[in-house]
Amino acid sequence: MIYILQNHPTPEQIKDMLQQYETMIKIVVDIRRRILAGGGEMHSDCEAVLLDNGSEQDDLWGANWYPAEQRIEFESLINIRPRLGNRNVVIQDEELRQKVETATRAILGGMS
């Protein structure tokens, strides 16, 4: 189950997003709109949901959220964007990582 979130999810939504991977939620953050899509099997699934919801491709960055540890891993195949200066699955730009982290913690922080 994939949810688009701009506020804290319910405990049921967290449970749904953890169905695919027991300890981790795949997320894609729209850094301009400060929303995220979470859940599903692949980051590209979350990305597609956000694109259908009006997000722009260049604003979307993938990561993994570990609720029990409140930890973010800035790694996703959708992050490979040579045109935007990111030639790796890991988000390389520290300012961009901070935007992803800020939005993620505002929405998912404290939820486990």
Side-chain angles (χ1 to χ4, degrees):
M1 175 79 53
I2 297 174
Y3 290 98
I4 295 177
L5 303 168
Q6 60 186 26
N7 298 305
H8 286 306
T10 66
E12 184 172 305
Q13 288 173 318
I14 291 285
K15 181 181 173 188
D16 288 347
M17 290 186 289
L18 285 167
Q19 281 182 346
Q20 195 68 39
Y21 304 97
E22 292 179 19
T23 61
M24 182 259 301
I25 299 170
K26 299 265 186 182
I27 61 170
V28 173
V29 176
D30 182 325
I31 60 171
R32 182 179 51 83
R33 295 170 66 197
R34 294 187 181 111
I35 63 172
L36 65 80
E41 183 179 1
M42 298 169 41
H43 290 104
S44 59
D45 298 330
C46 293
E47 179 183 47
V49 168
L50 286 172
L51 289 170
D52 287 345
N53 186 257
S55 291
E56 299 291 328
Q57 182 75 54
D58 289 354
D59 297 327
L60 302 180
W61 296 89
N64 300 313
W65 175 250
Y66 296 85
E69 303 167 34
Q70 298 289 292
R71 180 173 62 90
I72 301 170
E73 187 177 73
F74 301 94
E75 188 172 324
S76 169
L77 288 174
I78 72 163
N79 294 338
I80 301 173
R81 302 208 183 142
R83 165 176 84 71
L84 297 177
N86 205 78
R87 298 181 178 277
N88 198 310
V89 295
V90 176
I91 299 172
Q92 301 294 294
D93 182 82
E94 187 59 40
E95 183 178 331
L96 188 54
R97 286 169 70 127
Q98 186 60 47
K99 289 178 181 180
V100 170
E101 183 167 3
T102 298
T104 300
R105 291 196 183 282
I107 296 168
L108 295 176
M111 306 299 295
S112 57

PDB file of all heavy atoms in Angstrom, residues 82-111:
ATOM      1  N   PRO A  82      22.248  12.087 -13.741  1.00  0.00           N
ATOM      2  CA  PRO A  82      23.442  12.810 -14.179  1.00  0.00           C
ATOM      3  C   PRO A  82      23.145  14.248 -14.599  1.00  0.00           C
ATOM      4  O   PRO A  82      23.924  15.153 -14.323  1.00  0.00           O
ATOM      5  CB  PRO A  82      23.945  11.983 -15.366  1.00  0.00           C
ATOM      6  CG  PRO A  82      23.365  10.633 -15.169  1.00  0.00           C
ATOM      7  CD  PRO A  82      22.059  10.837 -14.451  1.00  0.00           C
ATOM      8  N   ARG A  83      21.996  14.455 -15.215  1.00  0.00           N
ATOM      9  CA  ARG A  83      21.608  15.797 -15.672  1.00  0.00           C
ATOM     10  C   ARG A  83      21.489  16.781 -14.514  1.00  0.00           C
ATOM     11  O   ARG A  83      21.711  17.984 -14.671  1.00  0.00           O
ATOM     12  CB  ARG A  83      20.295  15.637 -16.436  1.00  0.00           C
ATOM     13  CG  ARG A  83      19.500  16.836 -16.726  1.00  0.00           C
ATOM     14  CD  ARG A  83      18.280  16.466 -17.567  1.00  0.00           C
ATOM     15  NE  ARG A  83      17.161  15.989 -16.797  1.00  0.00           N
ATOM     16  CZ  ARG A  83      16.420  16.763 -16.007  1.00  0.00           C
ATOM     17  NH1 ARG A  83      16.712  18.034 -15.864  1.00  0.00           N
ATOM     18  NH2 ARG A  83      15.408  16.271 -15.348  1.00  0.00           N
ATOM     19  N   LEU A  84      21.171  16.263 -13.321  1.00  0.00           N
ATOM     20  CA  LEU A  84      21.051  17.108 -12.130  1.00  0.00           C
ATOM     21  C   LEU A  84      22.294  16.994 -11.238  1.00  0.00           C
ATOM     22  O   LEU A  84      22.291  17.466 -10.106  1.00  0.00           O
ATOM     23  CB  LEU A  84      19.796  16.730 -11.336  1.00  0.00           C
ATOM     24  CG  LEU A  84      18.463  16.944 -12.061  1.00  0.00           C
ATOM     25  CD1 LEU A  84      17.307  16.457 -11.204  1.00  0.00           C
ATOM     26  CD2 LEU A  84      18.280  18.400 -12.435  1.00  0.00           C
ATOM     27  N   GLY A  85      23.328  16.336 -11.745  1.00  0.00           N
ATOM     28  CA  GLY A  85      24.578  16.245 -10.993  1.00  0.00           C
ATOM     29  C   GLY A  85      24.653  15.087 -10.013  1.00  0.00           C
ATOM     30  O   GLY A  85      25.599  15.008  -9.236  1.00  0.00           O
ATOM     31  N   ASN A  86      23.673  14.201 -10.014  1.00  0.00           N
ATOM     32  CA  ASN A  86      23.706  13.045  -9.095  1.00  0.00           C
ATOM     33  C   ASN A  86      23.924  11.781  -9.926  1.00  0.00           C
ATOM     34  O   ASN A  86      23.015  11.280 -10.565  1.00  0.00           O
ATOM     35  CB  ASN A  86      22.406  12.936  -8.293  1.00  0.00           C
ATOM     36  CG  ASN A  86      22.607  12.210  -6.984  1.00  0.00           C
ATOM     37  OD1 ASN A  86      23.115  12.796  -6.044  1.00  0.00           O
ATOM     38  ND2 ASN A  86      22.245  10.949  -6.934  1.00  0.00           N
ATOM     39  N   ARG A  87      25.142  11.268  -9.910  1.00  0.00           N
ATOM     40  CA  ARG A  87      25.515  10.116 -10.729  1.00  0.00           C
ATOM     41  C   ARG A  87      25.563   8.824  -9.924  1.00  0.00           C
ATOM     42  O   ARG A  87      26.211   7.876 -10.322  1.00  0.00           O
ATOM     43  CB  ARG A  87      26.870  10.366 -11.376  1.00  0.00           C
ATOM     44  CG  ARG A  87      26.879  11.548 -12.291  1.00  0.00           C
ATOM     45  CD  ARG A  87      28.235  11.759 -12.932  1.00  0.00           C
ATOM     46  NE  ARG A  87      28.214  12.862 -13.846  1.00  0.00           N
ATOM     47  CZ  ARG A  87      27.796  12.786 -15.107  1.00  0.00           C
ATOM     48  NH1 ARG A  87      27.357  11.650 -15.592  1.00  0.00           N
ATOM     49  NH2 ARG A  87      27.798  13.845 -15.877  1.00  0.00           N
ATOM     50  N   ASN A  88      24.894   8.806  -8.797  1.00  0.00           N
ATOM     51  CA  ASN A  88      24.966   7.682  -7.880  1.00  0.00           C
ATOM     52  C   ASN A  88      23.564   7.363  -7.366  1.00  0.00           C
ATOM     53  O   ASN A  88      22.669   8.210  -7.439  1.00  0.00           O
ATOM     54  CB  ASN A  88      25.883   8.077  -6.709  1.00  0.00           C
ATOM     55  CG  ASN A  88      26.383   6.912  -5.915  1.00  0.00           C
ATOM     56  OD1 ASN A  88      25.608   6.056  -5.497  1.00  0.00           O
ATOM     57  ND2 ASN A  88      27.690   6.879  -5.673  1.00  0.00           N
ATOM     58  N   VAL A  89      23.370   6.169  -6.810  1.00  0.00           N
ATOM     59  CA  VAL A  89      22.082   5.842  -6.194  1.00  0.00           C
ATOM     60  C   VAL A  89      21.888   6.601  -4.882  1.00  0.00           C
ATOM     61  O   VAL A  89      20.765   6.815  -4.438  1.00  0.00           O
ATOM     62  CB  VAL A  89      21.903   4.322  -5.948  1.00  0.00           C
ATOM     63  CG1 VAL A  89      21.861   3.571  -7.262  1.00  0.00           C
ATOM     64  CG2 VAL A  89      22.958   3.776  -5.031  1.00  0.00           C
ATOM     65  N   VAL A  90      22.986   7.034  -4.286  1.00  0.00           N
ATOM     66  CA  VAL A  90      22.946   7.807  -3.043  1.00  0.00           C
ATOM     67  C   VAL A  90      22.875   9.294  -3.400  1.00  0.00           C
ATOM     68  O   VAL A  90      23.589   9.759  -4.299  1.00  0.00           O
ATOM     69  CB  VAL A  90      24.193   7.523  -2.178  1.00  0.00           C
ATOM     70  CG1 VAL A  90      24.207   8.403  -0.939  1.00  0.00           C
ATOM     71  CG2 VAL A  90      24.256   6.059  -1.792  1.00  0.00           C
ATOM     72  N   ILE A  91      22.029  10.030  -2.709  1.00  0.00           N
ATOM     73  CA  ILE A  91      21.946  11.482  -2.928  1.00  0.00           C
ATOM     74  C   ILE A  91      23.278  12.096  -2.497  1.00  0.00           C
ATOM     75  O   ILE A  91      23.669  11.988  -1.331  1.00  0.00           O
ATOM     76  CB  ILE A  91      20.770  12.105  -2.140  1.00  0.00           C
ATOM     77  CG1 ILE A  91      19.452  11.501  -2.598  1.00  0.00           C
ATOM     78  CG2 ILE A  91      20.768  13.622  -2.315  1.00  0.00           C
ATOM     79  CD1 ILE A  91      18.253  11.913  -1.749  1.00  0.00           C
ATOM     80  N   GLN A  92      23.968  12.735  -3.428  1.00  0.00           N
ATOM     81  CA  GLN A  92      25.311  13.252  -3.183  1.00  0.00           C
ATOM     82  C   GLN A  92      25.330  14.654  -2.571  1.00  0.00           C
ATOM     83  O   GLN A  92      26.174  14.951  -1.738  1.00  0.00           O
ATOM     84  CB  GLN A  92      26.105  13.284  -4.501  1.00  0.00           C
ATOM     85  CG  GLN A  92      26.230  11.917  -5.156  1.00  0.00           C
ATOM     86  CD  GLN A  92      27.059  10.955  -4.321  1.00  0.00           C
ATOM     87  OE1 GLN A  92      28.244  11.164  -4.136  1.00  0.00           O
ATOM     88  NE2 GLN A  92      26.412   9.926  -3.809  1.00  0.00           N
ATOM     89  N   ASP A  93      24.423  15.503  -2.962  1.00  0.00           N
ATOM     90  CA  ASP A  93      24.408  16.894  -2.527  1.00  0.00           C
ATOM     91  C   ASP A  93      23.881  17.000  -1.093  1.00  0.00           C
ATOM     92  O   ASP A  93      22.752  16.587  -0.810  1.00  0.00           O
ATOM     93  CB  ASP A  93      23.531  17.709  -3.480  1.00  0.00           C
ATOM     94  CG  ASP A  93      23.498  19.173  -3.128  1.00  0.00           C
ATOM     95  OD1 ASP A  93      24.437  19.894  -3.511  1.00  0.00           O
ATOM     96  OD2 ASP A  93      22.522  19.583  -2.457  1.00  0.00           O
ATOM     97  N   GLU A  94      24.674  17.573  -0.215  1.00  0.00           N
ATOM     98  CA  GLU A  94      24.302  17.662   1.203  1.00  0.00           C
ATOM     99  C   GLU A  94      23.059  18.526   1.416  1.00  0.00           C
ATOM    100  O   GLU A  94      22.213  18.202   2.257  1.00  0.00           O
ATOM    101  CB  GLU A  94      25.472  18.210   2.027  1.00  0.00           C
ATOM    102  CG  GLU A  94      25.238  18.175   3.513  1.00  0.00           C
ATOM    103  CD  GLU A  94      24.959  16.770   4.057  1.00  0.00           C
ATOM    104  OE1 GLU A  94      25.604  15.810   3.619  1.00  0.00           O
ATOM    105  OE2 GLU A  94      24.074  16.648   4.937  1.00  0.00           O
ATOM    106  N   GLU A  95      22.912  19.608   0.667  1.00  0.00           N
ATOM    107  CA  GLU A  95      21.727  20.467   0.796  1.00  0.00           C
ATOM    108  C   GLU A  95      20.463  19.704   0.386  1.00  0.00           C
ATOM    109  O   GLU A  95      19.422  19.808   1.043  1.00  0.00           O
ATOM    110  CB  GLU A  95      21.888  21.720  -0.066  1.00  0.00           C
ATOM    111  CG  GLU A  95      20.737  22.701   0.061  1.00  0.00           C
ATOM    112  CD  GLU A  95      20.941  23.949  -0.769  1.00  0.00           C
ATOM    113  OE1 GLU A  95      22.099  24.351  -1.005  1.00  0.00           O
ATOM    114  OE2 GLU A  95      19.914  24.522  -1.185  1.00  0.00           O
ATOM    115  N   LEU A  96      20.551  18.938  -0.666  1.00  0.00           N
ATOM    116  CA  LEU A  96      19.430  18.122  -1.122  1.00  0.00           C
ATOM    117  C   LEU A  96      19.085  17.053  -0.091  1.00  0.00           C
ATOM    118  O   LEU A  96      17.915  16.830   0.219  1.00  0.00           O
ATOM    119  CB  LEU A  96      19.781  17.482  -2.455  1.00  0.00           C
ATOM    120  CG  LEU A  96      18.696  16.736  -3.198  1.00  0.00           C
ATOM    121  CD1 LEU A  96      17.458  17.600  -3.398  1.00  0.00           C
ATOM    122  CD2 LEU A  96      19.238  16.267  -4.539  1.00  0.00           C
ATOM    123  N   ARG A  97      20.112  16.406   0.470  1.00  0.00           N
ATOM    124  CA  ARG A  97      19.878  15.408   1.519  1.00  0.00           C
ATOM    125  C   ARG A  97      19.153  16.038   2.711  1.00  0.00           C
ATOM    126  O   ARG A  97      18.260  15.438   3.295  1.00  0.00           O
ATOM    127  CB  ARG A  97      21.206  14.807   1.979  1.00  0.00           C
ATOM    128  CG  ARG A  97      21.797  13.849   0.999  1.00  0.00           C
ATOM    129  CD  ARG A  97      23.211  13.493   1.363  1.00  0.00           C
ATOM    130  NE  ARG A  97      23.258  12.665   2.552  1.00  0.00           N
ATOM    131  CZ  ARG A  97      23.879  11.510   2.632  1.00  0.00           C
ATOM    132  NH1 ARG A  97      24.490  11.014   1.578  1.00  0.00           N
ATOM    133  NH2 ARG A  97      23.891  10.836   3.755  1.00  0.00           N
ATOM    134  N   GLN A  98      19.550  17.259   3.052  1.00  0.00           N
ATOM    135  CA  GLN A  98      18.925  17.952   4.182  1.00  0.00           C
ATOM    136  C   GLN A  98      17.447  18.226   3.903  1.00  0.00           C
ATOM    137  O   GLN A  98      16.602  18.077   4.790  1.00  0.00           O
ATOM    138  CB  GLN A  98      19.669  19.258   4.480  1.00  0.00           C
ATOM    139  CG  GLN A  98      19.181  19.967   5.718  1.00  0.00           C
ATOM    140  CD  GLN A  98      19.331  19.130   6.980  1.00  0.00           C
ATOM    141  OE1 GLN A  98      20.364  18.543   7.218  1.00  0.00           O
ATOM    142  NE2 GLN A  98      18.292  19.068   7.792  1.00  0.00           N
ATOM    143  N   LYS A  99      17.115  18.598   2.678  1.00  0.00           N
ATOM    144  CA  LYS A  99      15.714  18.838   2.317  1.00  0.00           C
ATOM    145  C   LYS A  99      14.898  17.552   2.434  1.00  0.00           C
ATOM    146  O   LYS A  99      13.770  17.568   2.933  1.00  0.00           O
ATOM    147  CB  LYS A  99      15.611  19.407   0.900  1.00  0.00           C
ATOM    148  CG  LYS A  99      16.092  20.829   0.783  1.00  0.00           C
ATOM    149  CD  LYS A  99      16.021  21.315  -0.644  1.00  0.00           C
ATOM    150  CE  LYS A  99      16.528  22.742  -0.747  1.00  0.00           C
ATOM    151  NZ  LYS A  99      16.462  23.227  -2.139  1.00  0.00           N
ATOM    152  N   VAL A 100      15.465  16.448   1.952  1.00  0.00           N
ATOM    153  CA  VAL A 100      14.780  15.157   2.042  1.00  0.00           C
ATOM    154  C   VAL A 100      14.602  14.767   3.505  1.00  0.00           C
ATOM    155  O   VAL A 100      13.524  14.344   3.928  1.00  0.00           O
ATOM    156  CB  VAL A 100      15.561  14.068   1.267  1.00  0.00           C
ATOM    157  CG1 VAL A 100      15.000  12.683   1.555  1.00  0.00           C
ATOM    158  CG2 VAL A 100      15.538  14.362  -0.228  1.00  0.00           C
ATOM    159  N   GLU A 101      15.647  14.950   4.295  1.00  0.00           N
ATOM    160  CA  GLU A 101      15.575  14.585   5.712  1.00  0.00           C
ATOM    161  C   GLU A 101      14.581  15.452   6.472  1.00  0.00           C
ATOM    162  O   GLU A 101      13.806  14.942   7.287  1.00  0.00           O
ATOM    163  CB  GLU A 101      16.954  14.675   6.360  1.00  0.00           C
ATOM    164  CG  GLU A 101      16.927  14.242   7.803  1.00  0.00           C
ATOM    165  CD  GLU A 101      18.297  14.020   8.404  1.00  0.00           C
ATOM    166  OE1 GLU A 101      19.311  14.248   7.737  1.00  0.00           O
ATOM    167  OE2 GLU A 101      18.333  13.599   9.572  1.00  0.00           O
ATOM    168  N   THR A 102      14.588  16.742   6.226  1.00  0.00           N
ATOM    169  CA  THR A 102      13.676  17.647   6.917  1.00  0.00           C
ATOM    170  C   THR A 102      12.219  17.271   6.650  1.00  0.00           C
ATOM    171  O   THR A 102      11.414  17.171   7.575  1.00  0.00           O
ATOM    172  CB  THR A 102      13.941  19.103   6.500  1.00  0.00           C
ATOM    173  OG1 THR A 102      15.285  19.457   6.883  1.00  0.00           O
ATOM    174  CG2 THR A 102      12.973  20.060   7.147  1.00  0.00           C
ATOM    175  N   ALA A 103      11.888  17.044   5.387  1.00  0.00           N
ATOM    176  CA  ALA A 103      10.510  16.673   5.038  1.00  0.00           C
ATOM    177  C   ALA A 103      10.151  15.305   5.640  1.00  0.00           C
ATOM    178  O   ALA A 103       9.061  15.132   6.181  1.00  0.00           O
ATOM    179  CB  ALA A 103      10.331  16.643   3.522  1.00  0.00           C
ATOM    180  N   THR A 104      11.077  14.363   5.563  1.00  0.00           N
ATOM    181  CA  THR A 104      10.805  13.021   6.085  1.00  0.00           C
ATOM    182  C   THR A 104      10.572  13.055   7.583  1.00  0.00           C
ATOM    183  O   THR A 104       9.624  12.455   8.091  1.00  0.00           O
ATOM    184  CB  THR A 104      11.970  12.068   5.745  1.00  0.00           C
ATOM    185  OG1 THR A 104      12.123  12.007   4.334  1.00  0.00           O
ATOM    186  CG2 THR A 104      11.721  10.670   6.303  1.00  0.00           C
ATOM    187  N   ARG A 105      11.432  13.738   8.313  1.00  0.00           N
ATOM    188  CA  ARG A 105      11.288  13.788   9.773  1.00  0.00           C
ATOM    189  C   ARG A 105      10.033  14.554  10.185  1.00  0.00           C
ATOM    190  O   ARG A 105       9.401  14.210  11.182  1.00  0.00           O
ATOM    191  CB  ARG A 105      12.530  14.368  10.421  1.00  0.00           C
ATOM    192  CG  ARG A 105      13.715  13.420  10.294  1.00  0.00           C
ATOM    193  CD  ARG A 105      14.853  13.745  11.232  1.00  0.00           C
ATOM    194  NE  ARG A 105      15.951  12.846  11.000  1.00  0.00           N
ATOM    195  CZ  ARG A 105      16.022  11.589  11.441  1.00  0.00           C
ATOM    196  NH1 ARG A 105      15.032  11.100  12.156  1.00  0.00           N
ATOM    197  NH2 ARG A 105      17.062  10.828  11.176  1.00  0.00           N
ATOM    198  N   ALA A 106       9.657  15.579   9.420  1.00  0.00           N
ATOM    199  CA  ALA A 106       8.424  16.328   9.742  1.00  0.00           C
ATOM    200  C   ALA A 106       7.195  15.436   9.605  1.00  0.00           C
ATOM    201  O   ALA A 106       6.244  15.557  10.367  1.00  0.00           O
ATOM    202  CB  ALA A 106       8.301  17.553   8.831  1.00  0.00           C
ATOM    203  N   ILE A 107       7.224  14.522   8.634  1.00  0.00           N
ATOM    204  CA  ILE A 107       6.055  13.673   8.365  1.00  0.00           C
ATOM    205  C   ILE A 107       6.122  12.344   9.124  1.00  0.00           C
ATOM    206  O   ILE A 107       5.138  11.922   9.730  1.00  0.00           O
ATOM    207  CB  ILE A 107       5.921  13.423   6.852  1.00  0.00           C
ATOM    208  CG1 ILE A 107       5.656  14.759   6.139  1.00  0.00           C
ATOM    209  CG2 ILE A 107       4.813  12.422   6.558  1.00  0.00           C
ATOM    210  CD1 ILE A 107       5.794  14.705   4.635  1.00  0.00           C
ATOM    211  N   LEU A 108       7.277  11.693   9.116  1.00  0.00           N
ATOM    212  CA  LEU A 108       7.387  10.354   9.700  1.00  0.00           C
ATOM    213  C   LEU A 108       8.099  10.303  11.046  1.00  0.00           C
ATOM    214  O   LEU A 108       8.030   9.294  11.731  1.00  0.00           O
ATOM    215  CB  LEU A 108       8.113   9.421   8.716  1.00  0.00           C
ATOM    216  CG  LEU A 108       7.398   9.140   7.400  1.00  0.00           C
ATOM    217  CD1 LEU A 108       8.278   8.294   6.489  1.00  0.00           C
ATOM    218  CD2 LEU A 108       6.070   8.446   7.643  1.00  0.00           C
ATOM    219  N   GLY A 109       8.771  11.369  11.402  1.00  0.00           N
ATOM    220  CA  GLY A 109       9.518  11.384  12.662  1.00  0.00           C
ATOM    221  C   GLY A 109       8.633  11.131  13.864  1.00  0.00           C
ATOM    222  O   GLY A 109       7.524  11.647  13.957  1.00  0.00           O
ATOM    223  N   GLY A 110       9.103  10.284  14.764  1.00  0.00           N
ATOM    224  CA  GLY A 110       8.349   9.954  15.961  1.00  0.00           C
ATOM    225  C   GLY A 110       7.325   8.848  15.775  1.00  0.00           C
ATOM    226  O   GLY A 110       6.747   8.370  16.720  1.00  0.00           O
ATOM    227  N   MET A 111       7.112   8.445  14.523  1.00  0.00           N
ATOM    228  CA  MET A 111       6.148   7.384  14.215  1.00  0.00           C
ATOM    229  C   MET A 111       6.896   6.068  14.061  1.00  0.00           C
ATOM    230  O   MET A 111       7.870   5.987  13.346  1.00  0.00           O
ATOM    231  CB  MET A 111       5.417   7.688  12.895  1.00  0.00           C
ATOM    232  CG  MET A 111       4.759   9.056  12.842  1.00  0.00           C
ATOM    233  SD  MET A 111       3.497   9.324  14.068  1.00  0.00           S
ATOM    234  CE  MET A 111       2.267   8.163  13.586  1.00  0.00           C
TER     235      MET A 111
END
